[in-house]
Amino acid sequence: MKKVAEVVELYRKLARIPQPSWARISKSLGSCAVVNSVWTYRDLERADKVQFAKTYCANKTSEAKYEVTFTSRPQELANEQWNVESPSGNLRAIVRKITGKKNEEKQFVEIWNGSQKLQNIDVLSLEKHGKIYDNDGYFGSVEWSHSEGHLLYVAELKYPKAISFFEKKHADVKEDETKKDETKEKGVKGEEYVMKEEWGEGMVGKHHPVICILDVDTGDIRILDNVPDHVSPGHVVWAPDDSGVVFTGWCHEPYRLGVIYCINRQSAVYYLDFQKATCEALTDPDGAARCPVFSPDDSSFVFLQSNRKGPHNHCSCLCKYDWQKKESTVVCDIVGTPKQNGFPGVYEVTIPRDCWSTDNKRIVIGSLWRSQAVILVINTETKAVIRLPSDCGGDISVCHVWNDVIIATCSAPNQPHYLVIGQLPAEGQEFNIQWSPLDSPSALFGDILWKILVHRPTKERIHPKYDTLDYESVFIKPSNAEQSSRSLVVFPHGGPHSVFTTEFMLYAALFCQSGFSVLMVNYRGSVGFGNDSVFSLLGNVGDQDVKDVQAAAEEVISKEDIDPNKVVIWGGSHGGFLTAHLIGQYPSFYKAAVCRNPVINIASMSGSTDICDWNFTECGLEFEYKSLADGNSMSIMWSKSPLQYVDKIQTPVMLMIGLDDRRVPPKQSYELYKALKARKVPVRYIAYPDNGHPIVKVDSEADAFINIYKWFTDYLPQ
Ligand SMILES: CC(=O)N[C@@H](C)C(=O)N[C@@H](C)C(=O)O
């Protein structure tokens, strides 16, 4: 087993491995494909995620392959929130975040041509709107008009200045008039401390987004004011002929529920028509439609449709809206239980911009296929679905599609991320795509082996309604027996409706290179296996998921070279919930446990989480906005919570929380901490400031890993 000091150095080395944040083909036509990319790595010395840009030129050497003829050196990027090329490739819009002389945050919208900056607008000083949203995958948008004369973006609504009742200089502002427009510019009395609901975890400062239009020539900014008041716009794109804008509108009445990781929020696709000054829903306003992406000829757009209410994540329906006919059709419907290894349905929160082929028929999108991230080519006319092969056998995710050229990211548990380029083959030949790496990927970790394990529930654990369901784990281990400590980290994911895929993950690689094998369990209820798997867990959390993880662990111990006395467990959020359940239900099985922001008591969480619907739904209860966690609901929630087993826990527990977590409040961990302290069970509570639900601040993430490693090795038999 490596010493802590050795693992610190190993962390320092692996943390430097960069990961592509985005990569796009430049639309400036030329003899070669110019690919612009932005990479991110963890800079431990600066305790910051640092971004750098890299550009490649790739020439087609044959119908299918590319040869990279030029690669720029990495160029560190400073403060770029958005960097969007215009349709012709001649202009570029950059949103830059700067700290002003008085330490205030400033945002500049910059318009560049090929050689100079044409506009440099200090937008917040204009007081037209609040902060421009970053690329959060939901509301943030920056889009060029087809004409390249205008830029749309999403920012926070500008609120009237709040005035104290006691401020003398505005004594003339009458309280009963302060709501009237003519007095608003002076300010509004009594609003200083009124709560503005935000969209929950990961959406700090995002209360009410508005759509802004910048005139690129004049620098004038206007706010589109005919978006329905009850709607928060996002995924905003230009309508054909720049006749208006089309967007996802999330309903924020009667109150906002957390939106991140949740595709079950009430939302619709809207069209705001400039000429008619109307804004109409193009999909069911009571549904959960999102993410319109127009075809190159603007004849139609594709969008995703989910179940409103119900599980936070699940299989989505891919639909197409015909702009002329004004009607939607289903292209890929929801899949309940796929045929053996068959297409499991579409699992994506958003559809990438520019996902269409030039024939206006096919789209290229990312999705999940059991335990792997995949790229699908979907023919929106024939509805044929083709899974493209990965380049390295692990995950592949689409970055950009333009002019039938695809840029994708590949990785595997033993292969850090790298970019590939490929030419989309003709219809029906897609499987023959050839990928060409854009640069030599970081060295493969030859000392890590990985495989996907399939688990079938034993007879007594078969789901009464969904009796054919199986599940999987991603298992990784040191390739060199001498390097292996024969120890196992059991690692259930959170959600619960999420999934571990075969991508490169820093913590998993570090555990493995420190001598552990790692079992990442995709228990029934994970996404990517069909909707029936997701729904099989509702009402069964704390039982079906717990038994699935334990069975997977016991199976691996029986088949692999693992010492049953050297098994530890760790998980985050619902994964922390499962960790706490497993050490309570199998008290002598795990030698040490770590929970990151764990759900410990579903009942007490329901009053303070940003997703109170989750607490009802996962416990098999109906949820309405007016639902109250009354005595009956609370007792059902308690009956599924791990805290009930605390008297059985013997395993030493380390709790790690992000103090700004809005998803699973830190008090959840504190409940378990106190209960264990009172029972004299070894427990350690680490609280990271400036971290939310995922503990990913560079220095916190690093400290957390070393603490986890030390906690495990302190309690494992040497
Ligand atoms: C929907 C959701 O956020 N559920 C939490 C309880 C959870 O488990 N979150 C996952 C995604 C995590 O790992 O944080």
Side-chain angles (χ1 to χ4, degrees):
M1 196 61 89
K2 278 188 166 54
K3 293 185 175 51
V4 169
E6 293 175 293
V7 177
V8 168
E9 290 316 307
L10 184 62
Y11 192 98
R12 230 190 275 280
K13 181 182 149 209
L14 267 61
R16 284 194 201 101
I17 296 173
Q19 181 165 343
S21 309
W22 63 261
R24 294 177 67 87
I25 304 155
S26 174
K27 296 178 178 176
S28 47
L29 289 173
S31 62
C32 70
V34 173
V35 180
N36 295 315
S37 66
V38 170
W39 297 69
T40 304
Y41 73 93
R42 298 165 176 88
D43 188 313
L44 284 175
E45 293 69 30
R46 288 158 58 178
D48 198 4
K49 287 211 169 130
V50 175
Q51 290 195 320
F52 62 82
K54 216 171 159 185
T55 299
Y56 309 85
C57 289
N59 274 326
K60 239 200 262 187
T61 54
S62 67
E63 258 317 290
K65 296 292 278 185
Y66 282 84
E67 179 198 4
V68 177
T69 53
F70 167 78
T71 304
S72 74
R73 66 181 178 78
Q75 179 73 41
E76 189 168 317
L77 287 177
N79 312 315
E80 282 191 13
Q81 280 183 287
W82 290 91
N83 184 323
V84 181
E85 192 178 42
S86 68
S88 67
N90 296 330
L91 296 172
R92 188 169 287 278
I94 291 174
V95 177
R96 199 180 303 278
K97 191 160 67 171
I98 302 284
T99 304
K101 297 189 188 83
K102 299 182 193 111
N103 216 23
E104 78 284 17
E105 184 179 322
K106 296 171 87 69
Q107 285 180 310
F108 285 86
V109 174
E110 305 171 1
I111 304 294
W112 290 79
N113 64 14
S115 51
Q116 69 179 86
K117 196 187 285 187
L118 306 174
Q119 287 281 4
N120 192 30
I121 304 167
D122 179 356
V123 284
L124 299 180
S125 67
L126 302 177
E127 300 207 334
K128 294 262 189 174
H129 53 69
K131 288 179 185 171
I132 296 176
Y133 280 27
D134 54 7
N135 191 355
D136 55 25
Y138 295 82
F139 304 111
S141 311
V142 173
E143 292 284 333
W144 282 92
S145 62
H146 297 79
S147 68
E148 302 195 356
H150 293 85
L151 190 77
L152 76 72
Y153 58 87
V154 170
E156 184 59 30
L157 175 68
K158 180 71 190 162
Y159 306 108
K161 185 171 175 301
I163 308 175
S164 161
F165 290 116
F166 301 94
E167 205 172 291
K168 290 196 183 311
K169 72 178 175 183
H170 288 302
D172 60 318
V173 177
K174 300 283 177 292
E175 284 72 16
D176 55 355
E177 292 177 352
T178 51
K179 294 281 186 190
K180 289 181 184 159
D181 285 350
E182 63 275 12
T183 58
K184 263 188 181 172
E185 67 282 359
K186 285 184 186 169
V188 177
K189 284 189 174 179
E191 301 275 314
E192 283 175 285
Y193 305 106
V194 172
M195 186 263 289
K196 290 187 180 70
E197 288 174 24
E198 295 175 340
W199 279 99
E201 175 62 27
M203 297 286 173
V204 173
K206 298 178 178 178
H207 162 67
H208 193 151
V210 291
I211 303 171
C212 314
I213 305 271
L214 166 71
D215 182 315
V216 168
D217 296 330
T218 65
D220 292 339
I221 294 171
R222 70 186 174 103
I223 312 299
L224 299 188
D225 55 11
N226 42 351
V227 173
D229 285 343
H230 68 282
V231 159
S232 285
H235 299 149
V236 191
V237 293
W238 290 90
D241 306 320
D242 298 337
S243 61
V245 293
V246 176
F247 60 90
T248 302
W250 279 271
C251 178
H252 52 237
E253 294 300 340
Y255 55 84
R256 289 160 181 74
L257 287 166
V259 69
I260 205 164
Y261 312 136
C262 300
I263 61 170
N264 58 341
R265 298 292 173 238
Q266 185 176 340
S267 56
V269 176
Y270 288 83
Y271 170 44
L272 188 151
D273 184 324
F274 291 150
Q275 193 181 9
K276 296 178 188 167
T278 55
C279 187
E280 59 168 330
L282 304 181
T283 63
D284 176 2
D286 290 332
R290 66 186 181 281
C291 205
V293 179
F294 275 93
S295 56
D297 64 3
D298 276 344
S299 62
S300 57
F301 64 76
V302 286
F303 64 95
L304 293 169
Q305 175 87 39
S306 305
N307 293 341
R308 186 167 90 76
K309 298 168 47 172
H312 66 90
N313 193 10
H314 48 271
C315 184
S316 292
C317 191
L318 179 78
C319 304
K320 182 164 87 167
Y321 183 87
D322 185 304
W323 190 250
Q324 292 309 320
K325 296 179 185 167
K326 302 269 179 252
E327 62 186 33
S328 291
T329 52
V330 171
V331 176
C332 282
D333 208 341
I334 286 175
V335 173
T337 294
K339 299 181 181 64
Q340 182 68 18
N341 268 335
F343 172 54
V346 172
Y347 300 87
E348 256 310 11
V349 176
T350 58
I351 302 171
R353 316 287 316 113
D354 298 330
C355 64
W356 287 83
S357 57
T358 51
D359 60 12
N360 294 288
K361 285 185 194 171
R362 295 175 291 169
I363 62 169
V364 183
I365 66 170
S367 187
L368 297 167
W369 199 299
R370 296 175 73 89
S371 302
Q372 293 205 281
V374 297
I375 293 180
L376 302 176
V377 181
I378 300 174
N379 189 311
T380 63
E381 292 181 358
T382 65
K383 304 189 181 181
V385 178
I386 305 278
R387 172 182 174 175
L388 295 185
S390 167
D391 182 56
C392 63
D395 278 11
I396 185 165
S397 303
V398 65
C399 296
H400 191 215
V401 182
W402 188 69
N403 214 16
D404 291 344
V405 179
I406 304 172
I407 304 298
T409 302
C410 293
S411 81
N414 60 359
Q415 173 60 65
H417 295 81
Y418 62 100
L419 292 174
V420 294
I421 184 170
Q423 176 76 36
L424 178 66
E427 207 176 316
Q429 298 300 314
E430 292 90 347
F431 189 80
N432 297 320
I433 193 166
Q434 309 251 331
W435 297 113
S436 305
L438 282 176
D439 55 10
S440 50
S442 304
L444 178 101
F445 288 95
D447 52 354
I448 297 177
L449 297 177
W450 67 273
K451 58 185 170 183
I452 295 174
L453 306 175
V454 180
H455 309 289
R456 287 179 182 75
T458 46
K459 195 155 52 62
E460 67 279 3
R461 287 178 31 234
I462 288 174
H463 192 282
K465 183 177 177 187
Y466 306 116
D467 54 2
T468 60
L469 292 179
D470 59 9
Y471 62 103
E472 291 183 343
S473 296
V474 177
F475 179 62
I476 67 175
K477 67 179 182 181
S479 61
N480 178 335
E482 285 74 60
Q483 257 203 347
S484 168
S485 62
R486 303 185 60 236
S487 314
L488 175 67
V489 178
V490 177
F491 185 7
H493 62 69
H497 313 301
S498 70
V499 70
F500 278 130
T501 64
T502 54
E503 73 165 328
F504 181 79
M505 293 203 305
L506 177 65
Y507 271 28
L510 283 164
F511 275 128
C512 205
Q513 290 206 322
S514 308
F516 286 91
S517 295
V518 184
L519 183 69
M520 293 175 271
V521 188
N522 291 325
Y523 46 87
R524 283 173 292 170
S526 304
V527 285
F529 294 78
N531 241 15
D532 293 346
S533 180
V534 171
F535 281 78
S536 77
L537 189 55
L538 303 188
N540 298 313
V541 293
D543 181 53
Q544 178 180 295
D545 44 3
V546 171
K547 291 189 172 82
D548 278 1
V549 175
Q550 185 61 23
E554 291 175 5
E555 190 179 320
V556 154
I557 291 165
S558 68
K559 292 180 177 172
E560 298 288 335
D561 180 22
I562 301 288
D563 180 341
N565 293 310
K566 300 174 87 174
V567 183
V568 295
I569 183 165
W570 104 278
S573 202
H574 190 87
F577 166 89
L578 291 174
T579 298
H581 261 294
L582 282 152
I583 61 174
Q585 296 190 37
Y586 305 91
S588 56
F589 193 85
Y590 298 93
K591 290 295 173 288
V594 177
C595 303
R596 181 261 307 165
N597 292 323
V599 175
I600 296 301
N601 180 347
I602 301 177
S604 58
M605 174 187 161
S606 63
S608 49
T609 175
D610 66 329
I611 54 168
C612 54
D613 59 315
W614 179 92
N615 301 65
F616 287 82
T617 302
E618 295 306 323
C619 293
L621 298 167
E622 281 299 310
F623 174 79
E624 298 294 339
Y625 277 102
K626 61 188 176 188
S627 296
L628 298 172
D630 58 16
N632 176 52
S633 317
M634 284 266 193
S635 68
I636 292 170
M637 292 175 185
W638 168 260
S639 73
K640 300 180 187 299
S641 301
L643 194 56
Q644 66 183 295
Y645 298 109
V646 72
D647 285 325
K648 299 186 186 317
I649 292 177
Q650 308 158 17
T651 305
V653 178
M654 181 160 69
L655 297 156
M656 313 189 107
I657 61 120
L659 285 170
D660 299 336
D661 191 343
R662 297 172 171 208
R663 186 56 45 103
V664 176
K667 291 298 182 195
Q668 284 288 298
S669 291
Y670 196 57
E671 282 191 53
L672 181 58
Y673 170 79
K674 288 185 297 179
L676 293 173
K677 287 288 276 189
R679 291 161 179 78
K680 297 184 175 27
V681 175
V683 60
R684 181 170 157 86
Y685 185 99
I686 298 185
Y688 291 104
D690 308 320
N691 280 267
H693 193 50
I695 296 176
V696 289
K697 200 165 163 289
V698 169
D699 50 350
S700 311
E701 186 185 34
D703 178 81
F705 183 81
I706 304 301
N707 264 295
I708 293 168
Y709 179 80
K710 188 174 183 308
W711 187 257
F712 286 162
T713 49
D714 284 352
Y715 287 101
L716 279 174
Q718 295 308 318

